[in-house]
Coordinates of all heavy atoms in Angstrom, one line a residue:
R1656 N 90.5 162.7 132.6 CA 90.7 162.4 131.2 C 90.7 163.6 130.3 O 91.2 163.6 129.2 CB 89.6 161.4 130.7 CG 89.7 160.1 131.4 CD 88.6 159.2 130.9 NE 88.9 158.7 129.5 CZ 87.9 158.2 128.7 NH1 86.7 158.1 129.1 NH2 88.2 157.8 127.5
A1657 N 90.0 164.7 130.8 CA 90.0 165.9 130.0 C 91.1 166.9 130.3 O 91.2 168.0 129.7 CB 88.6 166.6 130.3
A1658 N 92.0 166.5 131.2 CA 93.0 167.4 131.7 C 94.0 167.8 130.7 O 94.6 168.9 130.8 CB 93.7 166.8 132.9
G1659 N 94.2 167.0 129.7 CA 95.2 167.3 128.6 C 96.6 167.2 129.1 O 97.5 167.8 128.6
R1660 N 96.9 166.5 130.2 CA 98.2 166.2 130.7 C 98.2 165.0 131.5 O 97.1 164.5 131.8 CB 98.7 167.4 131.5 CG 97.9 167.9 132.7 CD 98.1 169.3 133.0 NE 97.0 169.8 133.7 CZ 97.0 170.2 135.0 NH1 98.2 170.1 135.7 NH2 96.0 170.7 135.6
P1661 N 99.3 164.5 131.9 CA 99.3 163.3 132.8 C 98.4 163.5 134.0 O 98.4 164.7 134.5 CB 100.8 163.1 133.1 CG 101.5 163.7 132.0 CD 100.7 164.9 131.6
A1662 N 97.7 162.5 134.4 CA 96.8 162.8 135.6 C 96.9 161.6 136.6 O 97.3 160.5 136.2 CB 95.4 162.8 135.0
L1663 N 96.6 161.9 137.8 CA 96.7 160.9 138.9 C 95.4 161.1 139.7 O 95.0 162.2 140.1 CB 97.9 161.2 139.7 CG 98.2 160.3 140.9 CD1 99.7 160.2 141.2 CD2 97.4 160.7 142.2
I1664 N 94.8 159.9 140.0 CA 93.6 159.9 140.9 C 94.0 159.0 142.0 O 94.3 157.8 141.9 CB 92.4 159.3 140.2 CG1 92.0 160.2 139.0 CG2 91.2 159.2 141.2 CD1 90.8 159.6 138.2
E1665 N 93.9 159.6 143.2 CA 94.2 158.8 144.4 C 92.8 158.3 145.0 O 91.9 159.0 145.2 CB 94.9 159.6 145.5 CG 95.0 158.9 146.8 CD 95.4 159.8 148.0 OE1 95.8 160.9 147.8 OE2 95.2 159.3 149.1
L1666 N 92.7 157.0 145.1 CA 91.5 156.4 145.7 C 91.9 156.0 147.2 O 92.8 155.3 147.4 CB 91.1 155.1 145.0 CG 90.9 155.1 143.5 CD1 90.6 153.7 143.0 CD2 89.8 156.1 143.2
R1667 N 91.1 156.6 148.1 CA 91.4 156.2 149.5 C 90.5 155.0 149.9 O 89.3 155.1 150.0 CB 91.0 157.4 150.4 CG 91.9 158.6 150.1 CD 92.5 159.2 151.4 NE 93.5 160.2 150.9 CZ 93.4 161.5 151.1 NH1 92.3 162.0 151.8 NH2 94.3 162.4 150.7
V1668 N 91.1 153.9 149.9 CA 90.4 152.7 150.2 C 90.7 152.1 151.6 O 91.6 152.5 152.2 CB 90.7 151.6 149.2 CG1 90.4 152.0 147.7 CG2 92.2 151.1 149.3
S1669 N 89.8 151.2 152.1 CA 89.9 150.7 153.4 C 90.9 149.6 153.6 O 91.1 148.8 152.6 CB 88.5 150.2 153.8 OG 88.6 149.4 155.0

Side-chain angles (χ1 to χ4, degrees):
R1656 293 183 74 199
R1660 55 203 159 114
L1663 181 152
I1664 300 177
E1665 174 195 345
L1666 305 177
R1667 297 233 170 109
V1668 302
S1669 163

